[in-house]
Amino acid sequence: MIPMLSVIYAIKTFVAASIFFVWVVRYREIIEEFKFYELPSWLRDLVGILKLSFSFMLFSNDIYVTILGASGIIFLMAAAVYTHLRVKNPFHKMLPAFGLIVLNLIIIFYTIDTTN
């Protein structure tokens, strides 16, 4: 059986890799999305910096930093869902944000559970 610590590490790696892929590899598409949503470029860059920073924080040895990173991603993904709702996007476009919210909730609950 796979130890839960390994599962959580795999989830953290998946979250961080997903964010890196979207905000670094697919950055040109992000530029177009933010234009479509009529959001300013300074906000796009701030969101990218925050998402990448929060994703790196998931790997901290300090539980509070890990929880802050996961909480930050949850907040930004909730804002993404709100944006999708605002422009009336179909549900399937919101699924990645919902997925990252769920994965980061798992990270938080596991991190809190291991401290008790």
Side-chain angles (χ1 to χ4, degrees):
M1 187 165 169
I2 301 172
M4 191 59 175
L5 185 60
S6 296
V7 172
I8 296 301
Y9 191 80
I11 291 171
K12 289 178 181 182
T13 302
F14 177 79
V15 168
S18 298
I19 290 171
F20 178 83
F21 180 77
V22 170
W23 284 89
V24 176
V25 177
R26 289 188 48 233
Y27 187 68
R28 291 196 189 281
E29 293 174 39
I30 292 297
I31 292 170
E32 295 306 315
E33 284 183 35
F34 270 70
K35 285 179 186 175
F36 174 77
Y37 298 138
E38 298 179 356
L39 298 170
S41 59
W42 66 264
L43 180 61
R44 176 197 65 226
D45 294 340
L46 177 62
V47 168
I49 290 166
L50 289 174
K51 282 187 180 182
L52 290 167
S53 298
F54 288 144
S55 68
F56 288 121
M57 292 168 74
L58 296 176
F59 298 98
S60 173
N61 290 329
D62 185 331
I63 61 166
Y64 299 108
V65 174
T66 301
I67 291 170
L68 177 63
S71 299
I73 293 170
I74 290 170
F75 174 78
L76 292 172
M77 292 299 108
V81 169
Y82 172 77
T83 302
H84 285 293
L85 290 171
R86 184 175 61 90
V87 298
K88 297 179 172 71
N89 271 341
F91 181 72
H92 74 272
K93 290 201 172 201
M94 299 177 219
L95 282 177
F98 280 123
L100 287 177
I101 289 170
V102 170
L103 292 175
N104 280 282
L105 285 171
I106 292 169
I107 292 168
I108 289 172
F109 290 133
Y110 179 79
T111 302
I112 291 171
D113 188 50
T114 59
T115 62
N116 295 328

